[in-house]
Amino acid sequence: QVQLEESGGGLVQPGGSLRLSCTVSATAFSINAIGWYRQAPGKQRELVAAFNSGGSTIYADSVKGRFTISRDNAKNLMYLQMNSLKREDTAVYFCHIEGHQPGDFYWGQGTQVTVSS
């Protein structure tokens, strides 16, 4: 059983910061990778940041140096610290986990991040 829930989204001015949280409930499920995606209106869903199977972090070029992904395994939480936010960061942000089999993945419901003055 896998359940993901995001929180922390909201309205922020350009240059501001937000921290997103994802509560992970993955009973009897082996996680291969976990991360954050986002989808802006009319755009494809894109990878923002993730931990790969080896524990290394991956970042989209557009957020590198501004966003930081982290996790607290003991609390079953994953975070996305977003600094120096830009209007282009406006999107629905989704928590995402993958199992070890192709097609074995799960999404949260998403949390809206709006960057506007």
Side-chain angles (χ1 to χ4, degrees):
Q1 296 181 342
V2 177
Q3 188 170 354
L4 307 173
E5 184 174 358
E6 304 93 337
S7 63
L11 175 64
V12 64
Q13 294 184 344
S17 298
L18 283 174
R19 188 177 76 163
L20 306 183
S21 299
C22 174
T23 301
V24 181
S25 178
T27 304
F29 183 84
S30 181
I31 299 174
N32 184 49
I34 185 168
W36 293 93
Y37 284 70
R38 67 185 181 187
Q39 187 166 25
K43 301 291 186 180
Q44 293 277 78
R45 190 170 297 185
E46 64 174 344
L47 174 69
V48 178
F51 290 99
N52 64 20
S53 59
S56 299
T57 54
I58 302 170
Y59 292 94
D61 288 340
S62 59
V63 308
K64 197 170 299 181
R66 300 188 297 120
F67 291 10
T68 303
I69 188 171
S70 62
R71 60 187 175 187
D72 186 338
N73 291 334
K75 297 181 179 180
N76 295 322
L77 292 173
M78 180 177 66
Y79 304 99
L80 183 67
Q81 179 65 48
M82 305 184 294
N83 299 324
S84 301
L85 283 161
K86 304 175 180 180
R87 299 181 195 277
E88 307 91 87
D89 297 317
T90 296
V92 177
Y93 285 71
F94 297 90
C95 186
H96 175 82
I97 63 172
E98 299 178 355
H100 293 273
Q101 301 297 323
D104 188 15
F105 56 86
Y106 300 86
W107 298 96
Q109 83 288 347
T111 185
Q112 177 71 49
V113 172
T114 302
V115 184
S116 177
S117 60

